[in-house]
Amino acid sequence: MRWPALVPPAVCTTPIRLTVYGEGLTEDGAPVEAASFEGLCNWQDGGKTELTSEQKYVRISGRAYFTGDILPEVPVIAAGYGVIFGVRRAIVSGRKARDPDGTVNYTEVRFA
């Protein structure tokens, strides 16, 4: 049985460039680049202000949705950055939503 795409390719119209970091550091102390992706996404702007224990504000500025698994070589998207509309944004979290058969239906990446 084929599952319906929850993020169809027709709605992915915003150009994006992602760089995802892996675990560990290089000899220079920089993060290790695990993978990169350049293509189209469905971009949803949003904002949320939270007050942390140190009285600092954290703003979540948007989410990018992709059809299928954009980075099959990376099991978890947890850190890195993306360039959307010419602005570099830090990756806060990522999620690969799976169908009951185990395939990835769509990928979501959240940015700060």
Side-chain angles (χ1 to χ4, degrees), residues 26-41:
T26 64
E27 295 174 357
D28 302 330
V32 176
E33 290 187 13
S36 62
F37 171 82
E38 189 165 348
L40 299 175
C41 72

Side-chain angles (χ1 to χ4, degrees), residues 18-26 29-37 71 73-82 88-91:
L18 291 178
T19 300
V20 177
Y21 297 144
E23 295 183 19
L25 300 173
T26 64
V32 176
E33 290 187 13
S36 62
F37 171 82
L71 297 169
E73 65 274 13
V74 178
V76 177
I77 300 171
Y81 65 90
R88 182 176 163 151
R89 302 170 193 258
I91 293 175

